[in-house]
């Protein structure tokens, strides 16, 4: 009997080891075939946001075919100022009384330089400096929490928020308030019509990082180590499976809203934007190319919406989408990637400048 138990245990151990090795091999292959590359990480963990960009960073973002020795598809330098906002060169001061641009990789300017991004082009063509509160792979909650954190210290004259669908990266699900998350999210309490903002529990992000577990999505900010691929990524996806099975609350996916009331999550994001506009008491420009927030904006009372200004799909189509379609490919999109190229970013910058000028914010 004892020998049978030992044999069963041995078979179990061998099978478990085979599964672990297979998982590690899968993510190792993902590391080897990852098409992006970085000149070093340029982010650090943050207790509330998951990660923020590191101060005074110098790095790059590029793309190339796996195992290729040929030229890169693209490469763009990445610099940050003394507070970790993307800038034209490292170590510069963060502008006060400028325009805060809150967003994800589109606002950050993935694949282009700061000067070619739409915040950078806005700054070049206006009298208002840009503060880029954005990172590749951010969800709405991360971008908005970061912008809100700096309102008092930077006293911005306006805030710009462009949402091309990254609200769904901040969608949590579950019957109980999420308590094992490494970045903020919007969670819909049972019976509520709108989601509420939930931050990671105090100490959770730092403790997990000490074990080598980084927040999902941090790869976009240069966290492309072997540890991230074969430890952080499978761990996050295992947890997401538990969330989908209803065994815990949290993210069902790092980049998509899974198993949630999407309208409730969107209302949670919109309510957060309104709170920021009320707190900042300056124009907040909500650029909404897919009309995600059109219904919420239509029901906004004049008292709550006095500082919020919405730009929907029709205006976006005329000012950006249609003229961008006529641009040369290399100006319209980052090669082999799809993010805005320098020409498309120029159109976005012009749209923002015109909108803020109409509000008396920037010439």
């Amino acid at each position: 009997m004892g020998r049978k138990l030992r044999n069963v245990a041995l078979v179990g151990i061998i099978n478990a080891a085979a599964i672990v090795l297979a998982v590690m091999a899968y993510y190792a292959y993902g590391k080897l075939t990852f098409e992006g590359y970085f000149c070093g990480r340029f982010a650090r963990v943050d207790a509330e946001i998951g990660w923020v960009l590191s101060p005074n960073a110098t790095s790059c973002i590029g793309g190339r075919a796996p195992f290729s020795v040929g030229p890169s598809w693209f490469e763009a330098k990445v610099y940050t100022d003394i507070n970790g906002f993307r800038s034209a060169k490292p170590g510069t001061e963060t502008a006060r009384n400028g325009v805060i641009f809150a967003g994800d990789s589109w606002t950050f300017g993935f694949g282009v330089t700061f000067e070619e991004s739409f915040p950078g082009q806005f700054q070049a063509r206006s009298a208002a400096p840009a503060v880029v509160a954005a990172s590749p792979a951010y969800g709405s909650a991360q971008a908005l929490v970061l912008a809100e954190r700096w309102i008092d210290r930077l006293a911005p004259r306006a805030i710009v928020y462009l949402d091309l669908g990254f609200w769904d990266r901040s969608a949590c699900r579950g019957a109980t308030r999420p308590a094992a998350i490494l970045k903020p999210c919007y969670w819909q309490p049972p019976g509520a019509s709108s989601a509420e903002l939930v931050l990671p529990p105090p100490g959770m992000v730092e403790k997990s990082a000490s074990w080598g577990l980084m927040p999902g999505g941090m790869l976009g900010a240069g966290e492309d180590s072997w540890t991230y691929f074969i430890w952080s990524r499978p761990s996050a996806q295992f947890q997401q499976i538990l969330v989908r099975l209803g065994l815990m609350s949290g993210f069902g996916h790092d980049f998509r809203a899974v198993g949630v009331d999407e309208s409730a999550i969107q209302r949670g994001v919109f309510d957060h934007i309104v709170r920021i506009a009320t707190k900042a008491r300056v124009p907040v420009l909500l650029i909404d190319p897919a009309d995600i927030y059109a219904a919420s904006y239509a029901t906004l009372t004049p008292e709550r919406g006095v500082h919020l200004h919405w730009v929907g799909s029709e205006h976006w189509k005329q000012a950006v989408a249609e003229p961008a379609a006529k641009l040369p490919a290399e100006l319209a999109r980052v090669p082999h990637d799809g993010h805005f190229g320098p020409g498309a970013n120029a159109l976005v910058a012009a749209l923002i400048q015109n909108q803020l000028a109409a509000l008396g914010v920037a010439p």
Side-chain angles (χ1 to χ4, degrees), residues 61 74-78 86-88 105-124 132 330-335 339-350:
I61 293 177
F74 64 89
E75 182 176 294
K77 292 293 186 182
V78 174
R86 192 178 188 188
S87 58
S105 55
W106 299 90
T107 299
F108 173 87
F110 190 91
V112 298
T113 65
F114 171 80
E115 294 87 347
E116 294 170 331
S117 70
F118 69 78
Q121 296 200 52
F122 169 86
Q123 177 174 278
V132 186
E330 67 275 11
L331 295 180
R333 300 286 179 178
V334 174
H339 282 86
F340 293 145
N345 278 320
L347 295 170
V348 180

Side-chain angles (χ1 to χ4, degrees), residues 132-283:
V132 186
S135 169
Y138 260 8
S140 293
Q142 292 171 288
L144 292 172
V145 170
L146 179 60
E148 190 172 14
R149 176 185 291 178
W150 285 90
I151 287 172
D152 290 339
R153 280 175 281 183
L154 297 183
R157 67 182 74 178
I159 300 171
V160 176
Y161 176 82
L162 167 65
D163 197 332
L164 288 165
F166 78 126
W167 61 270
D168 57 359
R169 298 180 199 160
S170 290
C172 276
R173 60 178 286 186
T176 59
R177 187 179 181 87
I181 53 176
L182 298 182
K183 51 190 177 185
C185 68
Y186 300 102
W187 168 73
Q188 182 183 11
S193 61
S194 178
E196 64 182 50
L197 176 67
V198 180
L199 300 178
M204 175 71 74
V205 178
E206 300 95 319
K207 185 176 181 180
S208 297
S210 71
W211 298 339
L213 291 174
M214 300 299 183
M218 199 170 172
L219 171 65
E223 190 63 46
D224 68 342
S225 65
W226 280 100
T227 300
Y228 182 83
F229 270 85
I230 65 175
W231 178 230
S232 295
R233 293 186 73 170
S235 297
Q237 294 192 11
F238 175 73
Q239 186 180 75
Q240 290 160 13
I241 291 173
L242 298 180
V243 171
R244 294 188 198 186
L245 292 174
L247 300 178
M248 64 183 298
S249 296
F251 290 92
H253 195 282
D254 272 321
F255 295 99
R256 292 187 288 106
V258 177
V260 300
D261 180 346
E262 294 187 359
S263 62
I265 303 297
Q266 292 164 2
R267 281 193 294 271
V269 177
F270 184 79
D271 290 344
H272 195 181
I273 297 169
V274 173
R275 290 196 302 272
I276 288 175
T278 302
K279 176 180 179 179
R281 301 182 65 83
V282 298

